[in-house]
């Protein structure tokens, strides 16, 4: 993708004890600023759109699964996100029902008749 969106090129900037002055430069990535800064703080580099300079630079390649987990999977599995998703789903269902009143009436009649 050459912009970091797919995270295939993710690498870890392994800092050695003697060289904490490695400089990570993001040339141009397509990630949100929040996610990009999280990756940088965690020591990850998207090699398709970034480069690392400085003495003692060591990159651990093939970190895309770890980055994917950190950026997306963990974010989508927390309780707040699940709650927001349920609320959005409920709003959508309500809107669909409001736009199709006759269908909703028939559905409610069927549900009520099954309860008796």
């Amino acid at each position: 993708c050459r912009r970091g969106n797919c995270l295939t090129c993710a690498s870890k900037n392994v800092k050695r004890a003697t060289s904490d002055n490695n400089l990570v430069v993001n040339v141009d990535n397509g990630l949100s600023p929040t996610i990009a800064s999280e990756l940088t703080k965690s020591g990850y580099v998207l090699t398709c759109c970034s480069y690392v300079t400085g003495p003692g630079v060591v990159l651990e390649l093939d970190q895309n699964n770890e980055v994917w987990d950190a950026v997306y999977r963990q974010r989508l599995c927390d309780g707040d996100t699940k709650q927001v998703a349920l609320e959005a789903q409920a709003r959508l269902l309500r809107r669909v029902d409001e736009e199709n009143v006759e269908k909703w009436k028939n559905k409610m009649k069927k549900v009520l008749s099954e309860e008796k």
Side-chain angles (χ1 to χ4, degrees), residues 13-24:
N13 183 8
V14 181
K15 295 180 180 178
R16 295 188 180 180
T18 59
S19 63
D20 288 336
N21 57 354
N22 291 339
L23 174 66
V24 178

Side-chain angles (χ1 to χ4, degrees), residues 6-7 10 38-39 44 63-78:
C6 67
L7 303 176
E38 281 182 30
L39 288 179
Y44 290 105
Q63 299 294 306
N64 55 326
N65 288 333
E66 288 79 7
V67 171
W68 181 264
D69 285 345
V71 170
Y72 296 110
R73 191 166 294 135
Q74 290 174 5
R75 196 173 287 222
L76 295 174
C77 293
D78 71 357

Side-chain angles (χ1 to χ4, degrees), residues 23-64:
L23 174 66
V24 178
V25 179
N26 290 315
V27 177
D28 181 26
N29 67 42
L31 301 175
S32 76
T34 303
I35 292 174
S37 68
E38 281 182 30
L39 288 179
T40 302
K41 286 178 190 173
S42 300
Y44 290 105
V45 178
L46 302 173
T47 57
C48 70
C49 58
S50 306
Y51 57 92
V52 183
T53 61
V57 173
V58 177
L59 293 179
E60 226 177 274
L61 302 175
D62 196 27
Q63 299 294 306
N64 55 326

